[in-house]
């Protein structure tokens, strides 16, 4: 009778293993309990007083020297400088003089002064003492003014792949390829003591969106780090070419690149991420990279509407939720033409499909089929495995469900025909 009705469990068998019989190694760890990292850890704590460094521009006024005043001539007032747009600095006075790359400040009539790491007050006092010691100014006339016109900046590159998202939660009639891959960002100039990861993110749109991974990658621009990355990839692929000569070789996953810094944005409760100040400090040419989640998808087929669906980023999705996301609620008949398959049983509310298979990839290009009895899954949360990236969900009828739907469809069709004949 089963072969006559076309029972899919016989004609298209899937050799599945019940979910409760599998090792926990086959199931992803839950992420419902992950908590956001304190974003203050991504920001530098500025010092109380600004400490000078190369490329800072100071406003300096030294009466009688800068600018030079002839004897008996009235002193020229210092110029007033207004800050650039979006700058947090107050207006300053004095003639602009930049701190050199070696950390020195060049002033008239004296040797360059080393000012790197000093505060404005310390620089003012150092200038005063230098002009007094060189017999250029008398102590009562040595009253230099030192202000900050423009702080030094760091050029950082930010690349974000969460700029535009084609899907908020995944839809079966729309693929992810090309929809959330768009990258944005560019060159960002960060002032001193704001050259950190948090300010780089704020300048380019804020924390990563839902289509991005819950982490921030930092690639250093130093030549040493570039060479380290190149050596790492060269050695890895050299090992792979040698190992691939073995027909039984199982390619491992690409290991973590030691030269790339990964900063997590969500962690387990009680876990304090080890984020040092040097990790979040950005220098000229460093790259901040927000990677998308285009590979964190699952697929549906069988009696489920076929499609590719984006997994939620911050919470778990079990098989019942995945079915609802695909447009097939638990307990409803298959939503395709002839889903009941036999005499239109689906049109009169036939028995819904009760078996779901999860095709999950394993190492070495293998696969395991996880069998989920939907009746048990509804009543027992332990029978509802969590969906993980790359899973394929296939919904099928059990053989007895197809036979019952065949009987219901036949009886319904026969009853209608007899009713019309009597009339």
């Amino acid at each position: 009778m089963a072969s006559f009705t076309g029972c899919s469990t016989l004609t298209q068998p899937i050799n599945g293993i019940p979910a409760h019989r599998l090792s926990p190694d086959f199931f992803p760890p839950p992420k419902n309990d992950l908590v956001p990292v304190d974003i203050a850890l991504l920001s530098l704590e500025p010092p109380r007083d600004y400490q000078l460094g190369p490329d800072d521009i100071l406003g300096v006024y030294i009466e009688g020297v800068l600018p030079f005043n002839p004897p008996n001539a009235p002193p020229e007032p210092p110029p007033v400088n207004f800050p650039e747009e979006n700058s947090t600095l107050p207006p300053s006075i004095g003639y602009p003089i930049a701190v050199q790359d070696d950390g020195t400040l060049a002033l008239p009539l004296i040797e360059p002064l080393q000012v790197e790491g000093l505060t404005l007050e310390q620089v003012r006092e150092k200038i005063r003492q230098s002009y007094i010691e060189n017999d250029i100014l008398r102590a009562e006339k040595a009253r230099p003014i030192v202000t900050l016109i423009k702080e030094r900046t760091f050029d950082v590159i930010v690349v974000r792949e969460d700029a535009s998202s084609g899907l908020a939660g995944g839809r079966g009639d729309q693929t992810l390829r090309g929809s959330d891959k768009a990258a944005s960002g560019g060159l960002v100039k960060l002032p001193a003591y704001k050259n950190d990861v948090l300010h780089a993110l704020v300048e380019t749109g804020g924390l990563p969106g839902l289509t991005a991974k819950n982490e921030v990658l930092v690639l250093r621009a130093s030549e040493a780090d570039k060479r380290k990355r190149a050596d790492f990839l060269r050695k890895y692929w050299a090992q792979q070419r040698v190992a691939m000569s073995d027909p039984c070789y199982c390619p491992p996953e690409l290991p973590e690149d030691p030269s790339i810094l990964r900063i997590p944005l969500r962690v387990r409760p009680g876990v304090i991420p080890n984020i040092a100040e040097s990790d979040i400090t950005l220098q000229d040419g460093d790259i901040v990279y927000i990677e998308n989640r285009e590979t964190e998808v699952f697929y549906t087929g069988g009696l489920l509407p076929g499609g590719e669906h984006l997994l939620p980023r911050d919470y778990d999705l079990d098989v019942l939720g995945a079915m609802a996301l695909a447009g097939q609620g638990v307990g409803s008949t298959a939503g395709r033409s002839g889903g009941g398959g036999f005499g239109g049983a689906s049109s009169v509310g036939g028995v819904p499909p009760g078996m779901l298979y999860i095709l999950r990839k394993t190492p070495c290009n293998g696969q395991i089929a996880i069998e989920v009895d939907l009746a048990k899954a509804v009543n027992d949360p332990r029978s509802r495995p969590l969906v993980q990236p790359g899973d394929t969900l296939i919904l099928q009828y059990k053989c007895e469900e197809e036979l019952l739907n065949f009987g219901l469809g036949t009886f319904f069709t026969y009853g209608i025909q007899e009713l019309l004949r009597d009339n």
Side-chain angles (χ1 to χ4, degrees):
M1 182 66 177
S3 61
F4 173 76
T5 61
C7 180
S8 60
T9 56
L10 298 179
T11 59
Q12 298 176 354
I14 298 178
N15 298 320
I17 301 176
H20 66 273
R21 291 174 53 188
L22 285 175
S23 167
D25 297 336
F26 289 99
F27 301 102
K31 54 187 178 183
N32 275 342
D33 59 345
L34 296 181
V35 295
V37 169
D38 182 5
I39 61 174
L41 298 176
L42 308 181
S43 177
L44 293 173
E45 181 180 358
R48 169 176 288 185
D49 296 313
Y50 188 89
Q51 296 176 355
L52 299 177
D55 296 331
D56 281 330
I57 299 179
L58 303 182
V60 181
Y61 176 76
I62 307 172
E63 184 179 343
V65 176
L66 187 66
F68 174 73
N69 260 58
N72 302 322
E76 184 178 337
V80 178
N81 308 290
F82 292 94
E84 297 179 351
E85 186 179 1
N86 299 326
S87 174
T88 58
L89 295 176
S92 58
I93 59 176
Y95 292 89
I97 299 179
V99 179
Q100 303 301 309
D101 291 339
D102 58 358
T104 61
L105 188 68
L107 295 172
L109 306 177
I110 61 173
E111 293 293 325
L113 300 177
Q114 184 61 240
V115 298
E116 184 174 4
L118 301 182
T119 65
L120 293 175
E121 182 60 29
Q122 291 171 334
V123 172
R124 188 195 69 80
E125 183 61 28
K126 192 168 187 177
I127 293 174
R128 179 178 181 275
Q129 291 298 330
S130 180
Y131 277 99
I132 293 174
E133 292 171 0
N134 285 276
D135 293 327
I136 299 173
L137 293 175
R138 296 195 301 270
E140 63 273 14
K141 290 289 186 177
R143 296 188 298 269
I145 297 175
V146 181
T147 57
L148 182 63
I149 295 179
K150 183 179 179 182
E151 67 266 70
R152 60 190 181 275
T153 59
F154 298 85
D155 294 339
V156 177
I157 299 173
V158 180
V159 180
R160 306 182 62 123
E161 292 182 348
D162 61 344
S164 63
S165 172
L167 299 176
R171 283 172 48 190
D173 60 347
Q174 187 175 1
T175 61
L176 298 177
R177 305 292 180 247
S179 58
D180 67 335
K181 188 66 176 177
S184 68
L187 186 65
V188 180
K189 291 184 175 292
L190 299 176
Y193 303 115
K194 295 181 181 179
N195 54 317
D196 52 50
V197 171
L198 182 59
H199 281 88
L201 295 177
V202 170
E203 289 291 328
T204 56
L207 295 177
L210 293 178
T211 56
K213 293 184 178 179
N214 251 322
E215 62 181 10
V216 179
L217 306 184
V218 179
L219 288 75
R220 301 298 182 185
S222 66
E223 289 298 325
D225 284 293
K226 291 179 181 178
R227 287 194 298 269
K228 188 185 297 184
R229 283 194 291 272
D231 291 341
F232 165 77
L233 292 174
R234 191 180 300 112
K235 291 178 181 179
Y236 174 79
W237 291 115
Q239 294 172 354
Q240 297 307 300
R241 283 192 293 269
V242 172
M244 287 175 65
S245 59
D246 182 0
C248 299
Y249 171 69
C250 174
E253 293 184 1
L254 181 67
E256 289 287 338
D257 188 337
S259 65
I260 297 179
L261 173 65
R262 292 181 180 271
I263 301 177
L265 298 181
R266 292 176 72 88
V267 294
R268 300 286 173 194
V271 174
I272 300 178
N274 185 22
I275 302 176
E277 185 175 287
S278 58
D279 295 336
I280 62 172
T281 302
L282 303 175
Q283 304 296 335
D284 281 329
D286 284 352
I287 300 173
V288 177
Y289 180 40
I290 307 298
E291 190 178 5
N292 69 44
R293 299 193 304 119
E294 70 165 0
T295 58
E296 295 183 4
V297 297
F298 69 95
Y299 306 90
T300 53
L303 298 175
L304 288 174
E308 181 185 64
H309 310 271
L310 184 64
L311 282 168
R313 189 189 67 172
D314 299 330
Y315 61 90
D316 296 320
L317 183 71
D318 60 28
V319 291
L320 300 187
M323 289 177 59
L325 192 63
Q328 177 73 29
V330 177
S332 61
T333 54
R336 72 179 191 182
S337 178
F342 311 104
S346 61
S347 62
V348 294
V351 178
M355 186 61 68
L356 182 72
Y357 294 95
I358 305 174
L359 306 184
R360 180 163 295 173
K361 296 178 181 179
T362 59
C364 302
N365 298 319
Q367 174 182 282
I368 186 173
I370 304 174
E371 181 182 288
V372 179
D373 189 314
L374 295 180
K376 294 180 179 178
V378 170
N379 296 287
D380 185 5
R382 294 172 298 178
S383 299
R384 299 199 291 265
L386 300 180
V387 180
Q388 70 180 33
D391 283 351
T392 299
L393 276 56
I394 298 179
L395 181 64
Q396 284 191 349
Y397 284 107
K398 300 177 183 178
C399 192
E400 58 269 25
E401 292 168 346
E402 293 201 72
L403 291 174
L404 186 55
N405 280 336
F406 171 74
L408 289 174
T410 302
F411 176 78
F412 177 77
T413 304
Y414 176 77
I416 293 295
Q417 291 175 346
E418 289 298 316
L419 180 63
L420 294 176
R421 183 179 298 112
D422 291 342
N423 292 335

